[in-house]
Amino acid sequence: MEMIDRYVYAVTKRLPETQRKDVSDELYGLIEDMLDERVQGKNITDNDVEEVLLELGSPRQLAQKYRGTKKYVIGPELYDMYILVLKIALISVVAGTTAVFVIQVILNPMNTLDYFIDYIVSFFTAIIPNVIGWTTLSFAFAEYFSEGKLSGELSKVTLDKEWHPSNLAPIPDPKRRINPSEPIIAIVVSVLLIVFFAASHEYFGIWIYQNGEMAHVISFLNENAYSSILILIILFIGLIIVKESLKLFYGRWTKAMLIYTAMLNVISIGLIIVLVSGENLWNPSFMNELVQYNVVTRGTDAFRTAQIIWEQVTFWTLVILVMGLVSEIIKGLIKVRKQSKN
């Protein structure tokens, strides 16, 4: 019966992968024996199934008994995915930071020692802590809220005291699941962006060469306010990592996933507004530096064209980011509504 399938799924999804098959077989056998004993050869009704499941207790409590412990920062249901995402993130960090170091050495081999020292220091003091910290925080966030009302079940108190089989969530339809490659790619890209902005932001701009060597970079970002900008940028990217980790956890668009996405995207939009309102994000001297390094000449058509492109790009970059965040909420809402109708 579907209710039994939902119950077994709700229990086993909270267990380590290695336990799920054995526990699933044991639960099906146990429930069958309890129903046979209850009905004594009569037809099994939904009410009989509900009474047996109530006797077994809530899936959360039963899973805790099988695990033999109750407290986790990141529980068995999320642990395998957490390790996978952390490995991917760390590999991406190593690849990204190493690539940046190699590029720096190729562009300016005279400063190889300085680049190597910066590489080691930033790797262990900023990049690795950020990656491990954000990944762990996102999964701990998912673990904390996965038992609450937003996950489609009752609150922890209700689960323990007033749980009922009618509250069991449906088993996810494989056809409607989020392709794991999408959030994994997003996490990898996010990690690489953290590496870039934390360790090599000075290369984010127009490269000026003189006598065959790179003499200067006209930065797109405001270098004078970069320390405060960096905090907001890392926070913005960190929220993306949290959101994509939640997608890996839920595996499909649910009401909980929609609410989390909306919350995180609204915060992200707020960060963008803070960056824009402070007028600290983009380099205020960008056009002057283009003139200073003879890229364009002031008053010419080339200057006016470059100025228009600069103003439009800086404006539409932020607009597209906001539109992307809003559209993701709308996309999730549409998918959740379609699933609720089916």
Side-chain angles (χ1 to χ4, degrees), residues 74-333:
I74 299 174
E77 184 181 359
L78 292 176
Y79 184 75
D80 292 339
M81 186 62 69
Y82 166 71
I83 294 298
L84 172 63
V85 172
L86 191 58
K87 285 179 179 178
I88 292 170
L90 290 175
I91 291 172
S92 301
V93 164
V94 173
T97 52
T98 302
V100 169
F101 170 69
V102 170
I103 292 172
Q104 288 176 326
V105 171
I106 292 173
L107 292 174
N108 197 348
M110 298 298 294
N111 293 328
T112 299
L113 180 59
D114 291 337
Y115 291 145
F116 180 73
I117 294 173
D118 290 341
Y119 169 77
I120 296 297
V121 171
S122 62
F123 192 84
F124 289 103
T125 62
I127 298 171
I128 292 296
N130 266 307
V131 172
I132 295 177
W134 277 110
T135 305
T136 303
L137 176 64
S138 63
F139 276 85
F141 180 85
E143 177 70 27
Y144 180 79
F145 287 101
S146 63
E147 303 290 353
K149 290 182 179 180
L150 295 180
S151 66
E153 300 178 3
L154 300 179
S155 66
K156 289 183 178 179
V157 175
T158 305
L159 275 169
D160 289 339
K161 296 183 178 180
E162 301 176 9
W163 176 83
H164 194 273
S166 60
N167 296 314
L168 287 168
I171 299 174
D173 185 348
K175 295 180 180 179
R176 295 173 183 163
R177 295 185 70 85
I178 297 173
N179 188 339
S181 63
E182 296 177 7
I184 287 175
I185 291 173
I187 290 172
V188 170
V189 172
S190 298
V191 169
L192 292 176
L193 286 175
I194 288 178
V195 171
F196 177 77
F197 284 112
S200 304
H201 66 277
E202 64 270 19
Y203 293 97
F204 186 46
I206 304 295
W207 295 9
I208 305 298
Y209 283 87
Q210 294 178 354
N211 300 321
E213 295 183 357
M214 190 174 67
H216 182 71
V217 176
I218 302 176
S219 178
F220 293 140
L221 301 176
N222 186 349
E223 293 294 330
N224 294 328
Y226 190 72
S227 58
S228 58
I229 292 174
L230 180 60
I231 294 173
L232 296 176
I233 290 175
I234 290 179
L235 182 57
F236 179 84
I237 299 173
L239 291 175
I240 295 176
I241 295 175
V242 170
K243 180 175 61 182
E244 298 304 323
S245 298
L246 287 172
K247 288 181 181 179
L248 279 174
F249 165 60
Y250 283 101
R252 66 190 180 101
W253 280 100
T254 64
K255 290 181 179 178
M257 187 66 238
L258 175 61
I259 292 173
Y260 290 144
T261 298
M263 290 170 54
L264 293 171
N265 284 7
V266 167
I267 296 173
S268 298
I269 292 172
L271 291 175
I272 293 174
I273 293 173
V274 170
L275 284 169
V276 174
S277 62
E279 297 183 352
N280 289 325
L281 179 60
W282 304 114
N283 182 2
S285 304
F286 181 79
M287 292 304 302
N288 291 333
E289 290 186 53
L290 287 180
V291 174
Q292 179 183 345
Y293 286 93
N294 299 318
V295 178
V296 295
T297 302
R298 192 180 301 275
T300 63
D301 289 340
F303 177 87
R304 286 188 287 271
T305 300
Q307 187 171 34
I308 292 172
I309 292 174
W310 170 246
E311 292 173 353
Q312 292 297 312
V313 168
T314 54
F315 172 76
W316 283 104
T317 297
L318 299 177
V319 171
I320 290 172
L321 282 174
V322 173
M323 290 174 61
L325 294 169
V326 173
S327 66
E328 186 178 31
I329 298 174
I330 296 173
K331 172 186 174 183
L333 178 60

